[in-house]
Amino acid sequence: MVFSLVRHGGDQLDVDLLRYSLLAAILISYLVVVMDPMVGIHLEGEEQAMALIGNWRGFLGHKNFAGAVCALCIIMFLFDAKRIRPMIRIFGILVAGYFLFRLQSKTSGGMVVLASVGGIVFETVRIRLRRYIIPILMIVRSVFWFLTRAYADMVQSNFLQPKAFTGCGQIWGALLNYAGDHPLLGAGFGSFWTSRAAARCSNAAMAMSPRSPSAIRGISTSS
């Protein structure tokens, strides 16, 4: 039945089925996150990397699987969707975008950006130019993606060394992570200093203070 529908339904029906199936999968994942966090969120105690703890996954088993669904859903509502009501398009993009943010899937997020740039070029640039622009963009993006993936650990470790920026890299990292956990409404005045992020900042500053007197001063400045 499914194969017959795909074969005889036409391209537009197939695209619509895929588009709304992706949206339905994301909405169901929201329900799973709220109603059963043990299934919908990567939690401690599972056989997984520590970096995954707290990331959403919905009912899809892993954040990377959910990330691919969100990325494709955003693209499907962003392009070739002009006949769909604007409110539905905006709703689909926002729902998928926020879930992708909570997944913390950098690969899927990067692919959304790269695919969106290519789509915008395809829709706005004349055929004569885009036959050159799109291949050039693909080559530049591939090189950039390779370099960031290959040397990310080296760059990050250099920035987070105690001597780099007088230790401010560790302080900034804790501040940015804390801000990322409260992106819309914040966490309340003074609440940062009662969190584990503040404890990490203080510990880093105390450890660096004999070598870098400005470390503690950096915490006060960052706050």
Side-chain angles (χ1 to χ4, degrees):
M1 178 178 177
V2 174
F3 290 102
S4 177
L5 182 64
V6 171
R7 181 175 181 179
H8 300 289
D11 296 340
Q12 195 60 59
L13 178 60
D14 298 340
V15 171
D16 287 340
L17 287 174
L18 176 59
R19 180 183 291 119
Y20 289 109
S21 296
L22 293 170
L23 181 59
I26 296 172
L27 293 176
I28 294 172
S29 294
Y30 271 104
L31 292 176
V32 172
V33 169
V34 174
M35 300 178 66
D36 194 355
M38 295 290 292
V39 175
I41 302 176
H42 288 285
L43 301 176
E44 295 186 41
E46 301 178 7
E47 295 182 0
Q48 61 187 4
M50 293 295 293
L52 295 179
I53 295 175
N55 294 340
W56 289 9
R57 60 185 175 187
F59 71 97
L60 297 167
H62 195 278
K63 72 162 192 172
N64 289 336
F65 302 148
V69 171
C70 292
L72 188 55
C73 183
I74 293 173
I75 294 171
M76 294 289 288
F77 277 97
L78 191 60
F79 300 104
D80 192 30
K82 293 180 180 179
R83 60 187 184 80
I84 299 175
R85 293 181 180 180
M87 291 301 297
I88 297 178
R89 292 182 64 184
I90 294 172
F91 174 76
I93 293 171
L94 291 179
V95 166
Y98 183 71
F99 203 89
L100 180 60
F101 169 75
R102 296 308 301 258
L103 295 172
Q104 294 295 303
S105 180
K106 300 180 181 63
T107 302
S108 298
M111 294 307 296
V112 168
V113 174
L114 299 180
S116 298
V117 172
I120 292 172
V121 171
F122 187 85
E123 286 193 343
T124 58
V125 178
R126 291 180 298 177
I127 298 178
R128 189 173 184 179
L129 292 177
R130 73 187 183 206
R131 68 178 58 176
Y132 301 105
I133 294 177
I134 291 180
I136 291 173
L137 285 175
M138 291 179 63
I139 294 172
V140 172
R141 292 184 303 190
S142 299
V143 172
F144 177 77
W145 192 259
F146 170 77
L147 292 176
T148 55
R149 299 288 290 181
Y151 298 102
D153 293 338
M154 182 186 70
V155 173
Q156 185 176 6
S157 62
N158 287 333
F159 275 105
L160 294 180
Q161 284 183 354
K163 294 183 179 179
F165 298 104
T166 64
C168 288
Q170 296 181 358
I171 299 170
W172 296 336
L175 288 170
L176 290 175
N177 288 335
Y178 191 76
D181 292 336
H182 310 83
L184 298 178
L185 302 177
F189 178 75
S191 61
F192 173 79
W193 298 109
T194 61
S195 69
R196 288 184 295 176
R200 291 198 297 270
C201 287
S202 299
N203 293 336
M206 294 302 296
M208 292 181 293
S209 57
R211 302 186 300 272
S212 179
S214 60
I216 297 178
R217 208 165 46 241
I219 291 183
S220 301
T221 303
S222 299
S223 65

